[in-house]
Amino acid sequence: MEKPSNNSQQIYGLRPVIEAIESGARIERVYLQSGFGSHDGGPKKGLGTDLVSRLREGGIPFQFVPAEKLDRLARGNHQGVVATLAAVAYRSALDLLPALAEEKACPLVVVLDHITDVRNMGAIARTAECTGVDALVVPDRGSAAINQDAIKTSSGALLRLPLCREANFKTVVNLAKQCGYQVVAATEKGAVHYRQVDFRRPTLLILGNEETGISSEMLKISDIRAKLPIVGEVASLNVSVAAGVFMYEALEQRGM
């Protein structure tokens, strides 16, 4: 589960959070107290319902948490609502993928399937920026927070790379295929040697969670399952190391 960083900027209180949404503030996530809005009476209940509607309509990630967690996040009267401000500006993968396919001969977009370690997130972003990756796609929940810690680990790469946050990876993959991308899953379960992948084609490269790897659903809809050779007794590489090998292979093939 995503954890808020100690150095994240936060807004708390019902009206301040609604006003932040109305002003167009970049919001990473909103934490709501368990049972939020279910027992409040009068106008407060109306505002609570309004807030949840705004979150859903705006595609802003939110989750219900115990009151104790909100008490740790906010020092004042949070009224059951704490919003964490995003450290980066997100773009829409549904807009970016077609645009890249039109603008470039062989765009490379990397999908991070629930990477949970902030250091891995930063290291992958740093390598991606160095190797000319065109964009990173992360899930809207269940992933390491894109916060100041991640930005520092990435040496600022997360501020330079186009970054997309999406709720439905399946939709992203299906659109990529429609736009002519090949979908490559980097997995030790693969049958294709990584050097056999033709990165001179538009490519969506998927990297998986540190513990469980790429989800079975994503593996199922990928076009190619590519693996790195392992000759030692350890079954797999750290995801940021594996990412670097794939990205530099793509860089070499694309002649950049």
Side-chain angles (χ1 to χ4, degrees):
M1 178 181 294
E2 180 182 3
K3 297 180 180 180
S5 168
N6 290 333
N7 57 16
S8 295
Q9 294 186 11
Q10 287 141 0
I11 300 171
Y12 53 88
L14 193 50
R15 288 188 182 276
V17 172
I18 290 177
E19 290 171 0
I21 295 172
E22 290 177 342
S23 70
R26 299 199 307 244
I27 296 177
E28 180 77 23
R29 184 173 303 275
V30 175
Y31 298 91
L32 303 175
Q33 185 172 321
S34 299
F36 177 81
S38 62
H39 57 274
D40 294 326
K44 182 182 284 190
K45 182 174 182 180
L47 282 176
T49 302
D50 179 44
L51 173 58
V52 173
S53 296
R54 289 172 184 267
L55 295 174
R56 288 179 173 145
E57 291 170 3
I60 300 171
F62 66 94
Q63 65 188 83
F64 293 95
V65 299
E68 292 77 14
K69 182 167 186 175
L70 296 179
D71 293 340
R72 292 195 300 270
L73 291 174
R75 296 179 180 178
N77 180 17
H78 52 68
Q79 298 178 305
V81 184
V82 177
T84 301
L85 296 182
V88 298
Y90 292 102
R91 299 180 62 177
S92 168
L94 304 186
D95 294 332
L96 188 60
L97 287 172
L100 287 172
E102 291 182 5
E103 296 168 5
K104 297 196 170 189
C106 49
L108 176 60
V109 175
V110 174
V111 175
L112 304 182
D113 188 5
H114 295 87
I115 302 297
T116 57
D117 189 302
V118 68
R119 292 166 297 181
N120 282 335
M121 179 76 76
I124 291 170
R126 184 174 183 175
T127 304
E129 201 278 333
C130 289
T131 55
V133 168
D134 294 293
L136 292 180
V137 183
V138 298
D140 72 341
R141 61 184 63 195
S143 176
I146 308 295
N147 54 28
Q148 295 300 327
D149 293 333
I151 292 171
K152 182 177 180 181
T153 305
S154 76
S155 293
L158 284 167
L159 298 176
R160 300 185 183 97
L161 279 168
L163 188 64
C164 307
R165 181 175 62 184
E166 301 293 339
N168 192 326
F169 274 0
K170 188 174 181 180
T171 299
V172 172
V173 169
N174 288 336
L175 175 64
K177 290 184 176 185
Q178 293 172 16
C179 295
Y181 290 79
Q182 63 177 346
V183 180
V184 178
T187 172
E188 69 276 8
K189 301 173 185 177
V192 178
H193 191 284
Y194 77 104
R195 285 184 174 165
Q196 294 178 313
V197 179
D198 185 1
F199 285 105
R200 294 167 297 180
R201 296 178 51 193
T203 302
L204 196 73
L205 175 64
I206 305 173
L207 301 166
N209 174 271
E210 292 89 343
E211 299 295 329
T212 59
I214 297 172
S215 67
S216 57
E217 181 181 39
M218 295 293 280
L219 285 174
K220 188 180 298 183
I221 60 178
S222 62
D223 299 313
I224 300 171
R225 299 182 188 181
K227 65 178 180 180
L228 298 174
I230 302 289
V231 297
E233 295 183 8
V234 177
S236 63
L237 292 169
N238 171 274
V239 65
S240 66
V241 174
V245 177
F246 275 93
M247 291 178 195
Y248 269 98
E249 176 64 22
L251 175 68
E252 183 174 352
Q253 288 190 25
R254 296 188 296 168
M256 298 176 65

